[in-house]
Amino acid sequence: MPSILILNGPNLNLLGRREPGIYGHTTLADIEAMCATEGERLGLAVTCRQSNSEGELVSWVQEVPGRFAGLILNAGAYSHTSVALLDAARALDEPLIEVHLSNIYQRETFRQHSYVSLAATGVLCGFGARGYLMALQAMAAILADADSR
Ligand code: CA2
């Protein structure tokens, strides 16, 4: 069964407790449980990790080759600032799907650019917690396509 790594960046551990108007009421634990269930349905083994540290996220992205078939990444605010995460993401051959809970294009100008997007296979934003499930579905389709070639 292919393994997928889901990484969440800074402050996403606070989900559901503050700013529900922007990010909803779902907690990160809820999202991780939903992803595990959806992964099972799709035949994907899902590993979820969260860090507030840019360096730890970079190290985890570097773990993908050889261990995971794909990466789903919500790098939080580092999406908009981190050339280090972009460089790590660019070193991957595996599919990378970027997720944001909010529609970053409806928000402040500084959130409307993502370095991670430059290395992403695709980007989902504005679908709330459902975006992670959509990313898993897209990942399953991408991996199935690659298998049939
Ligand atoms: O929309 C997204 O998923 C974001 O990646 C969430 C980040 C934000 O910096 C990005 O621009 C867009 C923020 C993560 C959650 O931050 C919270 C802060 C306080 C309370 C709850 C969540």
Side-chain angles (χ1 to χ4, degrees):
M1 192 189 284
S3 290
I4 304 303
L5 181 61
I6 300 181
L7 293 183
N8 281 292
N11 296 310
L12 285 153
N13 54 314
L14 300 177
L15 282 180
R17 286 185 258 154
R18 298 226 178 130
E19 307 235 46
I22 301 176
Y23 299 119
H25 290 279
T26 312
T27 65
L28 186 58
D30 293 335
I31 290 174
E32 292 180 350
M34 287 159 57
C35 286
T37 304
E38 185 65 5
E40 268 174 44
R41 192 183 75 80
L42 294 165
L44 301 172
V46 172
T47 298
C48 295
R49 297 179 192 162
Q50 185 274 334
S51 179
N52 294 323
S53 153
E54 183 178 9
E56 190 162 41
L57 290 163
V58 167
S59 296
W60 287 343
V61 171
Q62 289 181 6
E63 278 185 29
V64 169
R67 292 182 63 171
F68 296 97
L71 173 64
I72 294 171
L73 175 59
N74 182 350
Y78 294 141
S79 314
H80 318 303
T81 62
S82 179
V83 176
L85 268 175
L86 169 61
D87 288 344
R90 278 203 165 134
L92 300 180
D93 290 326
E94 294 78 6
L96 187 177
I97 301 179
E98 179 180 3
V99 172
H100 295 284
L101 294 151
S102 61
N103 181 349
I104 57 174
Y105 301 104
Q106 277 177 351
R107 302 188 64 193
E108 302 96 323
T109 312
F110 65 84
R111 292 188 205 273
Q112 294 177 19
H113 174 267
S114 163
Y115 285 99
V116 171
S117 295
L118 296 170
T121 310
V123 183
L124 283 154
C125 77
F127 296 103
R130 192 173 290 122
Y132 290 86
L133 308 184
M134 295 164 75
L136 279 168
Q137 291 155 17
M139 187 65 79
I142 290 166
L143 296 176
D145 279 356
D147 253 11
S148 66
R149 286 206 181 120

